[in-house]
Amino acid sequence: MGKVRHVLGISGGKDSAALAIYMKQNYPELDIEYYTSDTGKELQDTYDLIENLENFLGKEIIKLPSLSDDTLNPFDHYIKMYNGFLPGSMSRWCTKKLKLEPFEKFVGDDLVISYVGIRGDEDREGYISKKSNIQSIFPFRKNIFSEDVTTKFLSNTNINNVLKYYEALNLGEKRERIFEVINEEISINFSQTQKLNRLLDLGIAIYNQAVFQFLQITDYPLSKESEFPLINNEEILVRDDIFKILEESGVGVPAYYKAIEFEVNGKKSTYARSRSGCFFCFYQQKIEWIWLYEQHPDLFLKAMEYEKEGYTWIQDESLAELVQPERIEKIKEEYIKRKERKKSKQQSPYLLDILDDAEGEGCASCFI
């Protein structure tokens, strides 16, 4: 199979871009391949970010997917194939055809470490390939390993092996407490998450070193690596860190994250976009559709053109209904009320106080 490949997907959003910068700055010895899944329906800000990243990285970001049909962009190619059937939360064919399948074709049967930009302040796992040759690593989190690895490592049937791995490490004064935690079996009263967090609290690097030893007897790609620099990484990066990385690197924050002021019935507020991805992503909030309508009316009209024969982007109304003046007014008023309920949170030029609840929604493979 050859050497292990290291890959990192660029979604066009803040987290994956910051991860690419972070990995180049902190682990330049890793030969990372960068790729992006271009649906052909991204905002120009996304393409600008990718160009800026290529300049910073000094390396091409490979564009996926490649299609034999040169007359249509990737999304239009598949919308034609599906006879105009729009993707939605219950039928995410766009994720499968434009993200997952191109990625798995790109890596083939090679052994691959895939770096994923889920932050330390997020409570989600992200996409984990079902292919055994692909292993996900999460550098921004306290636990850099994926859920499947964690489950196997902390399994009650693996306790003796875990004790052996830790025995070989320099545990210092925490030794007795660490062994107590390891020996306590996972049960209704002591969950896997609790056990994981207690071990991590007793030493992130120590935990990583033990897991790395465990991986050597598995079929995961890391079993083929004699060393892995990230096992000594104890940094936990949250959202503020991400924006700082983007700004200080010179790559910059995508313009669609920055708040724009609007006024409705004498009240002023701001709106923006909470995610990367297609400009007509069905996971975006209604206030984000209004942002698109008012800031990029040409793209909004293009999104409207896809709505026909009963297919709509939003389950309960069409885009034509959404942008009726009285409906826009109501959406903005409801949005302001939501924002006022969150006044205790720190205000941000990137609108993090109101759109943060939407960030974890949708398909992780699109937004990480």
Side-chain angles (χ1 to χ4, degrees):
M1 278 193 175
K3 71 172 187 177
V4 176
R5 292 170 61 189
H6 297 258
V7 306
L8 196 162
I10 306 296
S11 70
K14 61 187 186 306
D15 297 329
S16 62
L19 180 59
I21 297 166
Y22 180 83
M23 295 300 292
K24 178 176 174 59
Q25 291 176 332
N26 293 278
Y27 303 100
E29 68 272 27
L30 293 175
D31 182 18
I32 298 177
E33 301 172 53
Y34 302 94
Y35 70 92
T36 186
S37 296
D38 184 6
T39 64
K41 299 296 177 181
E42 316 290 334
L43 291 168
Q44 182 57 45
D45 298 331
T46 298
Y47 297 115
D48 292 343
L49 175 71
I50 291 171
E51 182 179 348
N52 291 343
L53 261 180
E54 285 184 321
N55 292 333
F56 177 86
L57 298 170
K59 184 181 281 191
E60 177 190 6
I61 297 174
I62 299 167
K63 312 299 188 297
L64 306 177
S66 57
L67 299 173
S68 57
D69 184 357
D70 294 331
T71 62
L72 295 172
N73 62 49
F75 181 84
D76 288 332
H77 170 86
Y78 284 107
I79 199 75
K80 180 181 179 181
M81 180 181 295
Y82 284 99
N83 295 317
F85 179 71
L86 296 178
S89 58
M90 302 302 291
S91 179
R92 293 181 292 181
W93 62 255
C94 54
T95 299
K96 179 181 179 182
K97 293 297 183 181
L98 299 174
K99 304 288 181 177
L100 305 186
E101 288 185 0
F103 167 65
E104 295 191 345
K105 182 179 180 181
F106 169 61
V107 302
D109 294 326
D110 294 342
L111 294 176
V112 166
I113 306 296
S114 176
Y115 297 92
V116 181
I118 292 181
R119 304 186 311 270
D121 57 351
E122 292 186 280
D123 185 19
R124 62 188 179 107
E125 181 61 20
Y127 167 69
I128 301 175
S129 176
K130 294 180 180 179
K131 297 184 67 176
S132 60
N133 61 304
I134 302 173
Q135 181 175 2
S136 297
I137 294 292
F138 305 86
F140 288 159
R141 301 191 321 188
K142 181 186 291 188
N143 178 22
I144 65 172
F145 298 104
S146 56
E147 182 72 15
D148 54 325
V149 170
T150 302
T151 297
K152 292 173 184 176
F153 180 72
L154 294 181
S155 168
N156 290 338
T157 60
N158 198 45
I159 286 177
N160 288 336
N161 286 329
V162 175
L163 288 169
K164 180 179 67 176
Y165 302 138
Y166 269 90
E167 184 73 39
L169 300 173
N170 181 14
L171 306 180
E173 59 183 19
K174 298 178 181 179
R175 178 186 180 88
E176 183 176 346
R177 178 60 185 141
I178 288 173
F179 285 161
E180 286 179 4
V181 175
I182 294 172
N183 278 306
E184 187 171 354
E185 293 192 353
I186 293 171
S187 64
I188 295 176
N189 298 318
F190 187 54
S191 69
Q192 175 179 296
T193 299
Q194 288 175 305
K195 187 167 187 174
L196 169 65
N197 286 332
R198 289 186 188 180
L199 287 174
L200 288 170
D201 288 344
L202 289 166
I204 295 175
I206 292 173
Y207 174 82
N208 290 345
Q209 290 165 23
V211 175
F212 187 67
Q213 290 183 62
F214 165 71
L215 288 169
Q216 301 308 301
I217 63 168
T218 70
D219 293 328
Y220 284 98
L222 273 179
S223 68
K224 307 301 180 184
E225 298 285 78
S226 59
E227 57 184 25
F228 187 54
L230 272 79
I231 63 175
N232 295 313
N233 181 19
E234 295 192 334
E235 283 193 292
I236 302 170
L237 277 70
V238 298
R239 188 157 43 193
D240 286 345
D241 299 316
I242 301 308
F243 285 107
K244 184 177 180 181
I245 288 172
L246 291 170
E247 290 167 342
E248 291 184 351
S249 67
V251 170
V253 178
Y256 55 74
Y257 284 125
K258 297 184 178 180
I260 296 174
E261 188 175 90
F262 68 84
E263 183 174 346
V264 59
N265 295 330
K267 288 191 174 183
K268 292 183 178 181
S269 188
T270 54
Y271 59 10
R273 206 164 191 251
S274 66
R275 63 184 73 240
S276 59
C278 303
F279 62 81
F280 45 56
C281 179
F282 48 83
Y283 275 117
Q284 62 189 326
Q285 297 182 25
K286 291 181 179 179
I287 190 64
E288 294 177 84
W289 279 109
I290 301 304
W291 172 89
L292 183 68
Y293 174 68
E294 294 181 342
Q295 302 303 318
H296 298 279
D298 56 329
L299 296 181
F300 190 90
L301 290 175
K302 288 182 180 179
M304 284 184 65
E305 291 173 1
Y306 288 102
E307 293 192 327
K308 51 189 174 183
E309 299 177 4
Y311 299 145
T312 58
W313 293 112
I314 305 171
Q315 187 174 1
D316 56 348
E317 64 183 322
S318 69
L319 294 186
E321 293 170 327
L322 186 80
V323 294
Q324 294 301 309
E326 64 276 8
R327 184 71 179 111
I328 292 177
E329 182 178 297
K330 184 177 181 181
I331 290 171
K332 287 183 174 179
E333 287 177 340
E334 290 174 349
Y335 167 77
I336 290 174
K337 288 178 182 178
R338 284 177 55 205
K339 194 171 181 180
E340 287 175 344
R341 288 194 293 268
K342 295 189 175 186
K343 272 186 177 179
S344 59
K345 292 192 175 184
Q346 182 180 1
Q347 297 299 302
S348 164
Y350 304 112
L351 208 63
L352 306 184
D353 55 340
I354 184 65
L355 291 177
D356 57 355
D357 58 337
E359 196 174 31
E361 298 173 2
C363 174
S365 65
C366 285
F367 309 127
I368 55 181

